[in-house]
Amino acid sequence: MKVVAAILHLHGFIVLHSSGQLITSSSNFIKQGHVSDTKDLCVFSVHILEFNSLGECALYCGMNLLCNAFDFCHFEGSFICRLRYGHAKLSNTTTQCELYEITTNKYCPNGFFLRSQGICKDDNLALHSPTTMSSVYADPVYAYQRLGNGSLAVNGEVRPDDTECAVTNEDLYPFLTIDLLDRFHVGRVVFTNRKTSEFRLHDLNVTVGTDGSNFGCFCGFFKGPGTSHQVVNMTCQETCRGRYVRLQIVSGREFLQLCEVEVYSICE
């Protein structure tokens, strides 16, 4: 194996950083909370991530013997991976940087677990993730309700006045696809129906794919029709490893209406 070495000096330490190493399947990273957006003295290496990947950041940390934690940050459209040693001071407020520390916890409660097969993260994976839809509803009469854009289904909000829901036009087999930005073991999908026109939610397939066009793993089926502001908590019939989650009406032409979608992974 070719080893590329770089010597970094940091407060008296000499760090040997090698690339080409693989993280073992027993490496665990648990989310501890948020840290300051400003780099502190325990951060010894910074990477800009091209693929927006938590897994890539964990690999950088796993390839460095000094690293025992990393910050995963999102600044102005760029994802930043900051490697650190020692313990970081957690922030009392939400910041742009999440802290993950190496632990020996096998079951990854409330955190992140890197495996050779995928990633487990016990948070809502869909929150603020990129989305695509078969179409976007854009009737100016209902503009005040902010119905349409897929991002409204992953913003973490369900409003009692029935605004801010993702809605398609009356499409043939309408769908909403969520890009989780990495491959996860998807075990549960939760979705919330609209308050009005609730009957339109029916015959909904939930599938998972490794790319944005092939959805070969079947999570579950909701027959419906839905009720007002119904919350459907769907446990996948099989654990699906993938990056993309699609919710699609498969019975013909319809408006797909979803006020919120949540995706959760599991560790086996």
Side-chain angles (χ1 to χ4, degrees), residues 216-262:
C217 190
F218 178 72
C219 173
F221 177 76
F222 174 72
K223 178 61 180 174
T227 56
S228 181
H229 265 178
Q230 181 179 2
V231 178
V232 179
N233 193 330
M234 178 182 291
T235 299
C236 294
Q237 296 182 16
E238 60 178 300
T239 301
C240 294
R241 175 179 177 260
R243 171 173 170 170
Y244 299 87
V245 177
R246 172 164 288 186
L247 296 88
Q248 183 169 28
I249 290 177
V250 294
S251 58
R253 289 195 174 274
E254 186 55 280
F255 294 88
L256 176 60
Q257 306 179 133
L258 295 164
C259 290
E260 192 66 24
V261 180
E262 304 164 53

Side-chain angles (χ1 to χ4, degrees), residues 65-87:
L65 295 177
L66 184 65
C67 184
N68 65 2
F70 65 85
D71 306 340
F72 188 69
C73 309
H74 186 203
F75 297 133
E76 300 179 352
S78 296
F79 287 86
I80 308 296
C81 175
R82 302 192 306 213
L83 306 188
R84 62 171 59 248
Y85 67 90
H87 294 284

Side-chain angles (χ1 to χ4, degrees), residues 193-239:
N193 193 14
R194 280 191 69 198
K195 179 180 179 181
T196 57
S197 302
E198 68 278 4
F199 57 89
R200 295 193 182 281
L201 188 63
H202 58 86
D203 298 301
L204 186 76
N205 257 4
V206 179
T207 53
V208 178
T210 55
D211 58 46
S213 57
N214 298 300
F215 295 84
C217 190
F218 178 72
C219 173
F221 177 76
F222 174 72
K223 178 61 180 174
T227 56
S228 181
H229 265 178
Q230 181 179 2
V231 178
V232 179
N233 193 330
M234 178 182 291
T235 299
C236 294
Q237 296 182 16
E238 60 178 300
T239 301

Side-chain angles (χ1 to χ4, degrees), residues 136-148 167-169 255:
V136 176
Y137 185 76
D139 190 331
V141 175
Y142 297 98
Y144 70 97
Q145 288 188 299
R146 291 193 65 196
L147 302 179
V167 182
T168 69
N169 293 311
F255 294 88

Side-chain angles (χ1 to χ4, degrees), residues 77-198:
S78 296
F79 287 86
I80 308 296
C81 175
R82 302 192 306 213
L83 306 188
R84 62 171 59 248
Y85 67 90
H87 294 284
K89 182 179 179 181
L90 294 178
S91 172
N92 293 325
T93 60
T94 300
T95 69
Q96 299 301 308
C97 295
E98 297 178 333
L99 171 70
Y100 294 87
E101 287 187 353
I102 294 178
T103 78
T104 57
N105 191 328
K106 179 180 178 181
Y107 298 104
C108 150
N110 304 316
F112 173 102
F113 176 34
L114 179 68
R115 308 178 60 168
S116 58
Q117 296 87 2
I119 300 168
C120 167
K121 184 184 178 189
D122 194 24
D123 294 325
N124 174 15
L125 304 173
L127 187 63
H128 303 307
S129 292
T131 61
T132 55
M133 301 172 68
S134 54
S135 66
V136 176
Y137 185 76
D139 190 331
V141 175
Y142 297 98
Y144 70 97
Q145 288 188 299
R146 291 193 65 196
L147 302 179
N149 197 312
S151 64
L152 298 176
V154 292
N155 64 359
E157 297 183 27
V158 177
R159 300 198 175 191
D161 58 0
D162 212 25
T163 60
E164 298 202 5
C165 299
V167 182
T168 69
N169 293 311
E170 190 176 13
D171 297 337
L172 181 64
Y173 312 131
F175 65 82
L176 167 70
T177 301
I178 302 170
D179 180 359
L180 304 179
L181 298 177
D182 217 321
R183 292 188 180 187
F184 293 87
H185 293 289
V186 175
R188 187 163 60 95
V189 178
V190 181
F191 48 92
T192 303
N193 193 14
R194 280 191 69 198
K195 179 180 179 181
T196 57
S197 302
E198 68 278 4

